[in-house]
């Protein structure tokens, strides 16, 4: 799937893939405990991915093959006390769901080995020849077994370490495997495209947040040729005073984004007392706020900025402002709105002592616990 860390620890909708899957298993009635087989080098990633989850046994060290890893897990469970029925599930299938788990568990009452299957609907072709798909199934997990049945299969076939599923081992020894209906949604996440699909399926588990921002900067007495507004240098004989580039529009927008994720204000993250930000391009602040949104699995849906001033005239520069912000945030221009108004010569903006800006940011985030 790409990425710097193994796919099961990569975030999907703000949470590691493994955590989604383990949570889905824990939600199933009748599951006494969950044991995860991991690569020993991934222990820190594992502990952070599952922190706080109940009924998790200590992780078990995996082997070079999938089959070997399951064998290690079975050994551990035997020592742990062994349950009569066990389920073997793939960490990359977060959508198995309680119904599918329930079908597998129920079938174990009368069968020693159970696997979900799906009929294959796509046309199959090999080396240019279409294959008759009659009787061809796609086999999924969770697969369920009576403990002794699967332990015995693994012991018998330990030297033949290339089985891609456990029910296949029972079949290879002449055992019977009961098939139950799988689920189309129970797909295995293996490619970046699968990850996109998973995030879309989790769309219902997202919430919308809004944040508001407001800022004012006074005009400087020094002569100037430009004033910087929403990332654009507008020809004007006055500029705004400030520690950074004093881009009042971007400051309001940055505060709006920070507000939507409850992360304080621009002064906390980029204190004016820090010489690092002297003369800084305020687009840096906006980009950092956007990065904080992404870090939480969030996305910016829309930013609406209103500039409040008598002059300079904003409307001729609006398209350039939209483009500047949209390209900095890598979003569609339609997600950025710039408006301008005057205060009818009233107040400090009316007297042209400074410019004010307000902004509203709308974002989506993975659902947060703890309703008011
Ligand atoms: Mg400011």
């Amino acid at each position: 799937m790409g990425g710097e860390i193994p796919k099961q620890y990569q975030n999907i909708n703000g949470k590691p893939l493994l955590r989604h899957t383990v949570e889905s298993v824990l939600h199933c009635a009748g599951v006494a405990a969950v044991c995860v087989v991991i690569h020993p080098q991934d222990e820190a990633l594992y502990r952070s991915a599952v922190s706080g989850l109940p009924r998790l046994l200590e992780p078990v060290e995996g082997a070079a093959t999938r089959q070997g890893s399951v064998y290690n897990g079975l050994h551990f469970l035997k020592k742990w006390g062994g349950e009569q029925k066990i389920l073997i599930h793939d960490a990359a299938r977060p959508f198995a769901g309680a119904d599918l788990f329930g079908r597998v568990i129920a079938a174990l009452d009368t069968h020693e080995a159970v696997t979900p299957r799906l009929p294959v609907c796509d046309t199959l072709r090999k080396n240019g020849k279409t294959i008759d798909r009659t009787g061809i199934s796609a086999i999924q997990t969770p697969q369920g077994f009576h403990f002794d049945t699967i332990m015995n299969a693994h012991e018998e076939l330990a030297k033949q370490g290339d089985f891609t599923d456990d029910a296949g081992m029972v079949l290879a020894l002449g055992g019977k495997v009961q098939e139950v209906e799988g689920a189309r949604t129970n797909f295995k996440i293996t490619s970046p495209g699968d990850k996109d699909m998973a995030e879309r399926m989790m769309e219902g588990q997202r919430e919308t947040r809004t944040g508001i921002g407001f800022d004012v900067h006074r005009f400087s007495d020094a002569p100037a040729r430009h004033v910087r507004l929403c990332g654009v240098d507008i020809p004007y004989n006055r500029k705004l005073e400030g520690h950074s580039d004093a881009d009042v529009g971007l400051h309001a927008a940055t505060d709006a984004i920070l507000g939507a994720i409850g992360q304080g204000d621009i002064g906390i993250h980029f204190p004016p007392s820090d010489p690092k930000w002297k003369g800084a391009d305020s687009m840096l602040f906006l980009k950092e706020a956007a990065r904080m949104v992404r870090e939480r699995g969030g996305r910016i849906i829309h930013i609406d900025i209103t500039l409040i001033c008598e002059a300079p005239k904003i409307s001729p520069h609006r398209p350039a402002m939209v483009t500047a912000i949209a390209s900095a945030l890598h979003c569609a221009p339609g997600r950025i709105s710039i408006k301008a108004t005057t205060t009818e010569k009233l107040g400090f903006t009316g007297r042209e002592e400074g410019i004010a800006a307000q902004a509203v940011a709308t974002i989506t985030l993975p659902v947060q616990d703890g309703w008011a």
Side-chain angles (χ1 to χ4, degrees):
M1 198 161 79
E4 283 174 7
I5 57 172
K7 70 172 176 184
Q8 59 271 37
Y9 301 111
Q10 289 182 28
N11 273 5
I12 291 187
N13 202 24
K15 270 196 290 198
L17 170 55
L18 177 69
R19 189 176 182 94
H20 284 287
T21 304
V22 171
E23 283 180 348
S24 77
V25 179
L26 289 169
H27 280 140
C28 296
V31 172
V34 175
C35 172
V36 182
V37 183
I38 66 168
H39 191 294
Q41 281 174 2
D42 295 342
E43 189 171 340
L45 284 169
Y46 168 77
R47 300 230 179 251
S48 129
V50 300
S51 74
L53 294 181
R55 289 178 284 139
L56 267 182
L57 306 178
E58 277 300 291
V60 171
E61 195 170 307
T65 62
R66 192 210 68 87
Q67 184 183 331
S69 292
V70 173
Y71 192 30
N72 290 357
L74 291 171
H75 259 289
F76 174 83
L77 290 175
K78 193 170 189 175
K79 278 187 280 168
W80 179 67
E83 287 293 309
Q84 293 234 311
K85 298 173 182 174
I86 78 149
L87 302 173
I88 299 171
H89 190 41
D90 194 321
R93 293 185 193 265
F95 298 113
D99 287 351
L100 177 53
F101 272 95
R103 285 199 287 281
V104 175
I105 293 170
L108 282 178
D109 285 344
T110 46
H111 299 87
E112 291 189 354
V114 181
T115 184
R117 70 168 280 269
L118 275 181
V120 172
C121 301
D122 297 324
T123 294
L124 299 176
R125 209 166 275 143
K126 188 178 182 183
N127 299 332
K129 290 221 169 69
T130 301
I131 298 170
D132 179 8
R133 67 179 178 221
T134 314
I136 292 189
S137 305
I139 300 299
Q140 301 185 320
T141 71
Q143 298 186 341
F145 304 93
H146 289 192
F147 189 85
D148 293 342
T149 302
I150 192 61
M151 190 70 191
N152 176 56
H154 270 268
E155 275 167 351
E156 291 271 326
L157 297 169
K159 292 217 169 68
Q160 229 176 295
D162 52 1
F163 284 89
T164 56
D165 80 319
D166 300 280
M169 299 173 74
V170 174
L171 288 173
L173 291 173
K176 282 191 73 175
V177 175
Q178 175 67 18
E179 292 179 343
V180 297
E181 191 190 351
R184 294 256 170 241
T185 46
N186 179 30
F187 69 99
K188 190 167 165 182
I189 297 178
T190 51
S191 69
D194 293 341
K195 193 175 161 181
D196 289 346
M197 181 151 79
E199 296 209 314
R200 279 171 191 278
M201 286 170 65
M202 291 172 187
E203 208 55 33
Q205 299 165 30
R206 295 179 75 84
E207 61 188 32
T208 305
R209 302 262 207 106
T210 52
I212 189 167
F214 177 75
D215 197 29
V216 172
H217 281 259
R218 70 165 68 234
F219 279 117
S220 152
D221 295 329
R225 296 212 301 258
H226 298 101
V227 59
R228 170 67 69 100
L229 289 172
C230 292
V232 175
D233 284 324
I234 297 179
Y236 195 54
N237 59 3
R238 305 179 76 186
K239 64 174 183 176
L240 295 172
E241 242 176 45
H243 186 71
S244 65
D245 65 3
D247 191 329
V248 67
L250 293 188
H251 292 184
T254 303
D255 259 356
I257 294 171
L258 292 174
I261 54 174
Q263 289 300 308
D265 57 45
I266 193 168
I268 293 175
H269 298 278
F270 314 99
S273 54
D274 189 338
K276 181 161 74 171
W277 307 120
K278 183 154 175 51
D281 179 351
S282 297
M283 208 56 101
L284 289 176
F285 306 159
L286 191 72
K287 283 177 167 175
E288 171 60 11
R291 191 199 59 78
M292 290 167 71
V293 171
R294 281 196 304 277
E295 179 181 81
R296 287 161 174 74
R299 288 197 288 271
I300 296 170
I301 296 176
H302 189 245
I303 301 173
D304 184 18
I305 303 170
T306 303
L307 296 166
I308 305 164
C309 57
E310 300 294 330
K313 213 168 169 40
I314 302 300
S315 60
H317 307 285
R318 190 184 293 151
M321 293 174 171
V322 167
T323 303
I325 295 174
S327 62
L329 299 183
H330 305 291
C331 71
R335 297 189 181 279
I336 307 298
S337 156
I338 310 278
K339 312 196 299 300
T341 187
T342 71
T343 49
E344 299 287 335
K345 308 267 180 205
L346 298 170
F348 69 89
T349 56
R351 293 187 298 272
E352 301 190 36
E353 292 166 4
I355 296 181
Q358 54 190 26
V360 172
T362 308
I363 68 166
T364 68
L365 276 183
V367 166
Q368 315 279 301
D369 294 332
W371 287 88

